[in-house]
């Protein structure tokens, strides 16, 4: 085991083979991560942030409203860790890293992974960093899946949890959305080509589908409506194309396809006697935050989650930004978390 630093990002190399939940094995792992601040003498100030679908390990960049100097998660107070998830394309092992047996990227040869596999990778990094306790586990959307899974597998590790727009199991609605996105990728005739641009047009279409669920009707009507004389080149259409190209410039179709699959298999109750039984064992105080206009992970899911957690509490934030509100409504989220931690 070793690690090296690339700019502000660090890479932890785990050289032993790792068995995945589906029985497949990886010959080793690369885990990209960022840390901010210093761990104190009694190791009581660790904050671990888990990121969502297309983010990376630089939480100070993508969650700048909450993480950074003078923010709620201030590196002068806390030792903050964020690791790029297994299967992603921002430094951790995934379809775009090299298969040691061929010396070429895995592409479609990278095995399917689950949220549990991602948490097992986090666990390897935690041990490497010498973290004994996580004072606060924090995650939104897919990041919340990871925090919940970690808390279920190691009940005494995470002392407090903040879970935003997330749930204990992927809903049939979200699985249907993901399948539509994967069908868009698979319809691209370059899909499965062994190069980093494979499936790019499909990824653009998949992102467009996703953008319909990350926001909502009210947001599009309020921001993307046109004057009454237009016949073409509508704002809403341009916005969808822009967002699709923006993601395709920084992400990869193989990775998107793989990670949406991993979300579909998210189920805390698998092998644990069901969701309710699994959650009764999670005794850490937990704040569950919902966004009232979220149509991808509706507030009903967060209310059920909070009610099933022995020490769960729920707060709902009023926002027109839908699912993306967990990245945008920094002031309201800051206030809610601050009250919870106080």
């Amino acid at each position: 085991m070793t690690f090296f630093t690339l700019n502000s990002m660090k890479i932890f190399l785990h050289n032993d083979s790792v068995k995945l939940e589906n029985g497949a094995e990886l010959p080793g792992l690369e885990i990209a991560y960022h840390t901010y601040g210093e761990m104190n003498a009694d190791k009581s100030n660790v904050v671990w942030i888990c990121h969502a679908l297309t983010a990376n390990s630089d939480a100070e960049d993508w969650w700048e409203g909450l993480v950074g100097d003078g923010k709620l998660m201030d590196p002068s107070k806390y030792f903050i860790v964020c690791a790029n998830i297994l299967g992603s394309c921002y430094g951790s092992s995934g379809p775009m890293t090299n298969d040691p047996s061929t010396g070429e990227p895995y592409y479609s040869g990278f095995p399917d992974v689950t949220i549990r596999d991602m948490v097992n990778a986090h666990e390897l990094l935690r041990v490497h960093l010498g973290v004994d306790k996580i004072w606060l586990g924090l995650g939104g959307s897919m990041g919340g899946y990871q925090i919940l899974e970690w808390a279920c597998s190691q009940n005494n590790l995470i002392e407090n949890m903040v879970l935003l727009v997330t749930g204990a199991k992927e809903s049939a609605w979200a699985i249907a959305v993901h399948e539509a996105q994967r069908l868009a990728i698979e319809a691209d005739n370059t899909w499965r080509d062994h190069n980093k641009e494979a499936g790019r047009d499909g990824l653009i279409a998949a992102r467009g589908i996703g953008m319909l669920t990350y926001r909502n009707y009210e947001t599009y009507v309020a921001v993307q409506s046109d004057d009454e004389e237009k016949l073409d080149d509508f704002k809403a259409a341009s916005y969808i194309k822009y967002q699709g190209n923006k993601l395709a410039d920084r992400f990869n179709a193989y990775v998107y396809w793989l990670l949406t699959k991993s979300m579909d298999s998210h189920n805390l109750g698998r092998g644990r006697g069901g969701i309710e039984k699994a959650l009764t064992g999670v005794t850490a105080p937990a704040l569950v935050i919902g966004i009232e206009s979220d149509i991808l992970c509706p507030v009903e899911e967060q209310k059920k989650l909070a009610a099933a957690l022995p020490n769960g509490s729920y707060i709902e934030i009023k926002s027109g930004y839908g699912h993306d509100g967990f990245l945008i409504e920094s002031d309201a989220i800051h206030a809610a978390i601050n009250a919870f931690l106080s």
Side-chain angles (χ1 to χ4, degrees), residues 223-269:
V223 179
Q224 304 296 340
S225 291
D226 292 277
D227 65 69
E228 296 176 355
E229 302 303 318
K230 261 197 170 181
L231 296 176
D232 202 353
D233 298 323
F234 298 104
K235 288 181 181 178
S238 296
Y239 176 74
I240 291 295
K241 290 176 184 176
Y242 167 77
Q243 291 293 342
N245 279 286
K246 184 179 177 182
L247 181 70
D249 287 342
R250 67 175 178 87
F251 216 66
N252 175 266
Y254 280 113
V255 173
Y256 202 90
W257 190 95
L258 180 82
L259 294 184
T260 56
K261 276 279 190 181
S262 73
M263 286 193 287
D264 289 355
S265 66
H266 169 57
N267 185 341
L268 292 179

Side-chain angles (χ1 to χ4, degrees), residues 40-194:
N40 59 15
D42 62 2
K43 302 183 178 182
S44 62
N45 68 333
V46 177
V47 174
W48 200 297
I49 297 173
C50 290
H51 70 74
L53 176 61
T54 64
N56 55 34
S57 60
D58 190 0
E60 196 172 31
D61 177 57
W62 57 262
W63 221 355
E64 60 180 352
L66 291 182
V67 183
D69 294 336
K71 307 291 175 59
L72 181 64
M73 297 294 111
D74 191 331
S76 69
K77 300 177 181 178
Y78 305 112
F79 178 58
I80 304 163
V81 184
C82 184
N84 185 221
I85 55 176
L86 177 65
S88 186
C89 54
Y90 289 118
S92 291
S93 295
M96 305 313 293
T97 55
N98 284 346
D99 180 349
S101 67
T102 65
E104 299 292 332
Y106 280 99
Y107 297 120
S108 58
F110 195 81
D112 286 350
V113 296
T114 65
I115 300 298
R116 292 184 188 180
D117 294 323
M118 296 172 189
V119 168
N120 288 337
H122 293 335
E123 180 64 14
L124 292 172
L125 178 60
R126 178 189 71 81
V127 173
H128 166 72
L129 294 174
V131 171
D132 298 329
K133 289 280 187 180
I134 297 173
W135 176 70
L136 176 63
L138 179 63
S141 191
M142 188 182 185
Y145 296 174
Q146 297 159 59
I147 295 294
L148 277 168
E149 177 60 40
W150 212 349
C152 277
S153 62
Q154 296 199 49
N155 180 41
N156 296 318
L157 174 65
I158 302 176
E159 297 179 314
N160 301 278
M161 297 188 296
V162 174
L163 309 163
L164 302 94
V165 295
T166 196
K169 176 185 177 181
E170 192 72 310
S171 69
W173 158 243
I175 292 171
V177 171
H178 296 156
E179 184 63 19
Q181 292 177 302
R182 289 190 295 269
L183 287 172
I185 292 173
E186 292 164 6
D188 185 329
N189 61 14
T190 68
W191 171 239
R192 299 296 189 185
D193 288 353
H194 278 197

